[in-house]
Amino acid sequence: MKRVVEIGEMDRRSVLHPFTYLKDYAEGASAPTIVETGKGVRIKDASGREYIDGFAGLYCVNVGYGRTEVAEAIARQAYKLAYYHSYAAHTTEELARLSDRLVKMAPGRMSKVFFGLSGSDANETQAKIVWYYNNLRGKPAKKKIIARERGYHGCSVVSGSMTGLSFYHDHMDLPVAGILRTGVPHHYRGALPGETEEAFSERRANELEALILAEGPETVAALIAEPVLGTGGIIPPPSGYWPRIQAVLKKYDVLLIADEVICGFGRTGAMFGSDLYGMVPDLVTVAKGLTSAYVPLSASIVSEQVYEVMQEATPQVGAFSHGYTYSGHPIGVAAANAVLDIVERDDLPGQAAKKGAYLLGRLNAEFEQNPIVGEVRGVGMMAAVEFVPDRGSKVPFSPALKVGARISQAARNRNLIARAMPHGDILGFAPPLTMSEAEIDEMVFIAKAAVDEVLRELY
Ligand code: PLP
């Protein structure tokens, strides 16, 4: 107990925590959770309390906690060669193998892989590659990047600007210039009365086309989008959305950056979200599931079409001048190879499709008729329940009531981690893809008790 108190005090004095109310934490109004161990779908804190992790960390521990084969691959590489850089064509066997594997498995016609450490830096790299590509092919005005409202692409300077959630911008001088915004494809909230999913998708595609035409197609370089919108509320696209959006992009020579940071490596029930929706991206961003977060690693995957231009320009522009000390870090790529061995051997995409259907079925059974549930949605092992005071009008709860946060806290009090999504009153689920049906039952049972508790408090 003394140790726990000491760690907490040290932490409070010295750690600047992401997404934490700083004053509350500094003054002791909120407490640290000291996470010590993880096994399967559960984590344990320093007091011995165990939680079901219904969000796989931050939708990333796809193979579950405590996989010894991944830990051993990391240790093997650390003993053999903990570090060397990948500048000027230095490589390792694990780096070459992983890149070859990603080029073959990624959606679209991919050619090369650039490695970073986070989804944010990988999207930052994608923006630079898009600008580089258009400079090299003599289109220096074609630079604007379109992103979607409620899209999440990270929180560094350009990736944070592409993110379409205003609290990532406020007081931080974002977004930077050159980022355009188009509508979120959320049928439940965005459709006109009686509008079908297909008609709504058509309208979103028309809006995208109008935006490109208003800006001038010669100034618009790319659209960045998650196949399934994640942090903005776990929103699968309405039917017919991606084919229509891609037709518009093709018409105006606008690249598609598929941000597969959450969707990649099985979460949607396909290997990539792009595979599920017939997307043919020009650039693909991956992170999270690439190593199941056992170590930090991300990748920006570049298509043949884009890479060809980069290669051919070498005599004029010299070396590709972008890279990090840790690009292609030997321990990261070794971890990724070990994780992808599990993803492929155990068919985690197939498991996610089957168990995701079970999860959605259970959520529908428990919540569809609940008076404060507006929508239950999901695909594969990502699902959400959206709360509203009046199912008819769909008008949201007053933010002051903090309904989503209270439900998430009530679940946590019952040892379940389910995320209060940051926009609206939405409870999100994105557990490890290895979660069993019995564990799904346990998770949904606890979530139901948490919703009932807050429902009783509200009425
Ligand atoms: N892109 C998407 C779709 C994400 O969900 C995230 C993180 O949640 C990111 C990018 C940013 O990744 P990171 O937090 O590793 O910078």
Side-chain angles (χ1 to χ4, degrees):
M1 193 57 201
K2 186 161 166 280
R3 184 181 72 93
V4 171
V5 172
E6 269 172 16
I7 297 170
E9 284 173 357
M10 205 167 18
D11 190 278
R12 215 186 281 284
R13 279 197 308 272
S14 53
V15 179
L16 179 52
H17 283 277
F19 297 93
T20 299
Y21 286 89
L22 301 181
K23 197 167 163 63
D24 289 358
Y25 188 53
E27 293 177 350
S30 61
T33 304
I34 304 165
V35 187
E36 289 213 318
T37 59
K39 188 79 197 154
V41 302
R42 291 169 210 267
I43 58 164
K44 204 183 264 186
D45 73 15
S47 70
R49 185 167 173 182
E50 198 171 69
Y51 300 85
I52 300 180
D53 187 2
F55 218 75
L58 290 169
Y59 352 58
C60 50
V61 189
N62 292 359
V63 299
Y65 295 93
R67 302 295 293 242
T68 49
E69 58 267 62
V70 183
E72 279 158 11
I74 291 169
R76 261 197 316 277
Q77 186 62 47
Y79 280 117
K80 185 174 161 193
L81 177 74
Y83 174 75
Y84 205 72
H85 66 77
S86 61
Y87 283 37
H90 290 81
T91 195
T92 58
E93 179 174 348
E94 295 278 1
L95 174 56
R97 285 196 192 289
L98 178 63
S99 307
D100 180 63
R101 195 168 190 177
L102 290 174
V103 163
K104 287 177 179 149
M105 73 197 289
R109 286 164 58 90
M110 293 297 135
S111 175
K112 299 287 181 292
V113 188
F114 176 89
F115 288 96
L117 292 169
S118 70
S120 298
D121 74 50
N123 281 330
E124 204 87 7
T125 293
Q126 301 290 33
K128 285 182 74 178
I129 288 177
V130 165
W131 297 333
Y132 191 57
Y133 167 71
N134 278 338
N135 284 334
L136 299 181
R137 67 186 186 127
K139 295 183 185 255
K142 201 168 169 67
K143 294 290 167 52
K144 294 173 193 164
I145 297 178
I146 304 175
R148 300 181 302 173
E149 284 156 17
R150 292 174 68 180
Y152 186 70
H153 303 293
C155 60
S156 55
V157 176
V158 175
S159 73
S161 297
M162 298 191 292
T163 288
L165 294 159
S166 60
F167 44 86
Y168 287 95
H169 303 156
D170 296 345
H171 318 295
M172 290 203 175
D173 292 10
L174 297 186
V176 294
I179 307 296
L180 307 174
R181 202 73 62 199
T182 194
V184 57
H186 189 192
H187 183 263
Y188 171 72
R189 287 237 162 262
L192 303 170
E195 194 176 33
T196 63
E197 289 197 19
E198 291 283 342
F200 175 59
S201 295
E202 179 79 30
R203 184 155 62 83
R204 284 285 182 253
N206 291 341
E207 287 165 5
L208 176 66
E209 179 161 24
L211 175 66
I212 295 171
L213 288 172
E215 294 287 330
E218 70 288 354
T219 71
V220 180
L223 170 81
I224 184 164
E226 304 150 86
V228 177
L229 209 121
T231 301
I234 308 189
I235 304 170
S239 120
Y241 178 78
W242 279 116
R244 287 184 171 88
I245 293 291
Q246 289 185 104
V248 173
L249 300 179
K250 224 178 171 60
K251 189 165 165 190
Y252 298 105
D253 182 26
V254 174
L255 298 174
L256 173 59
I257 309 169
D259 185 342
E260 293 267 5
V261 167
I262 295 171
C263 295
F265 310 106
R267 181 153 298 279
T268 65
M271 189 58 90
F272 293 92
S274 297
D275 300 336
L276 190 64
Y277 299 112
M279 295 164 67
V280 186
D282 302 286
L283 298 150
V284 177
T285 307
V286 292
K288 298 189 190 273
L290 175 59
T291 56
S292 270
Y294 275 63
V295 287
L297 186 73
S298 64
S300 311
I301 313 177
V302 182
S303 65
E304 285 174 5
Q305 180 198 323
V306 173
Y307 175 73
E308 196 66 16
V309 170
M310 294 167 66
Q311 178 174 306
E312 289 311 305
T314 305
Q316 292 84 51
V317 300
F320 176 56
S321 302
H322 179 71
Y324 307 127
T325 301
Y326 298 139
S327 287
H329 194 289
I331 292 177
V333 292
N337 277 321
V339 165
L340 295 187
D341 286 346
I342 296 173
V343 170
E344 288 175 339
R345 183 195 67 207
D346 295 351
D347 184 22
L348 290 193
Q351 284 200 46
K354 196 167 140 280
K355 291 184 205 156
Y358 183 76
L359 169 61
L360 197 59
R362 293 289 299 113
L363 289 173
N364 269 316
E366 292 297 349
F367 291 116
E368 217 172 22
Q369 301 306 321
N370 189 299
I372 60 164
V373 170
E375 188 182 40
V376 176
R377 55 180 180 259
V379 59
M381 286 293 254
M382 50 197 302
V385 181
E386 180 156 348
F387 302 96
V388 286
D390 172 13
R391 294 157 64 104
S393 71
K394 302 181 186 174
V395 172
F397 279 106
S398 155
L401 288 172
K402 296 189 162 71
V403 170
R406 281 162 65 186
I407 292 171
S408 171
Q409 185 57 49
R412 203 177 166 100
N413 295 343
R414 293 168 167 79
N415 302 335
L416 167 67
I417 298 169
R419 186 177 185 196
M421 305 307 290
H423 181 101
D425 293 304
I426 298 166
L427 193 67
F429 301 88
L433 309 186
T434 51
M435 183 177 256
S436 69
E437 290 190 355
E439 289 163 338
I440 291 174
D441 286 342
E442 194 180 344
M443 178 169 80
V444 175
F445 179 81
I446 298 174
K448 168 82 165 52
V451 173
D452 286 347
E453 180 185 318
V454 174
L455 182 61
R456 280 195 302 275
E457 288 170 9
L458 287 170
Y459 297 102

